[in-house]
Amino acid sequence: MDSFNARVYRAVAKIPEGKVATYGLIAGLAGSPRASRQVGWAMHGSPRGLRLPCHRVVNRTGALAPEGVFGGRDVQRAMLEAEGVTFLGDGRIDMRKHLWEPDVEA
DNA sequence: GGTTTGACCCGTT
DNA sequence: CAACGGGCCAAAC
């Protein structure tokens, strides 16, 4: 699996609990920081067998994906809160604290 | 092999 | 401060 989306799956799977990564960040780990759109598309077409923490992947503003993807924004928010992620009053993630920083990633 | 799309990002109006 | 458009990249049709 040398496909770009394959690397996206692996990068997303590396996201530790209690943290969140932006599409742009995942795209960067995949090899193309500008292919942020591809990241989201890759997850939508990702194999159901894999349990990718797609709920930990959010856009740059910290806003969650549109409804209908996870079954509702509230669902995704609940999953993140259950992992220890804090949210702002606007319904956005506190990127300041939970933005994943891949420094010495394996 | 060309066209369309897509869970985005950034700048401008 | 909110809305609109253009740009990028990679996969599906």
Side-chain angles (χ1 to χ4, degrees), chain A residues 34-89:
Chain A
R34 307 297 171 186
S36 49
R37 312 185 66 178
Q38 228 48 24
V39 178
W41 174 88
M43 312 197 96
H44 195 221
S46 67
R48 296 169 304 217
L50 300 176
R51 276 177 294 210
L52 292 176
C54 30
H55 53 273
R56 293 183 200 153
V57 185
V58 294
N59 45 351
R60 192 69 219 325
T61 60
L64 303 177
E67 305 174 28
V69 180
F70 287 101
R73 293 177 293 117
D74 300 315
V75 179
Q76 186 177 6
R77 186 175 76 234
M79 285 191 291
L80 291 166
E81 289 185 301
E83 296 185 354
V85 177
T86 53
F87 277 73
L88 301 175

Side-chain angles (χ1 to χ4, degrees), chain A residues 12-21 51 53 55-56 79-86 97-100:
Chain A
V12 174
K14 289 179 187 171
I15 304 175
E17 298 180 8
K19 294 212 170 175
V20 293
R51 276 177 294 210
H55 53 273
R56 293 183 200 153
M79 285 191 291
L80 291 166
E81 289 185 301
E83 296 185 354
V85 177
T86 53
K97 293 182 179 181
H98 301 291
L99 179 58
W100 180 41

Side-chain angles (χ1 to χ4, degrees), chain A residues 1-10 42 45-47 50 52:
Chain A
M1 294 212 14
D2 301 11
S3 304
F4 185 84
N5 66 42
R7 285 188 270 187
V8 172
Y9 302 146
R10 187 167 291 217
S46 67
L50 300 176
L52 292 176

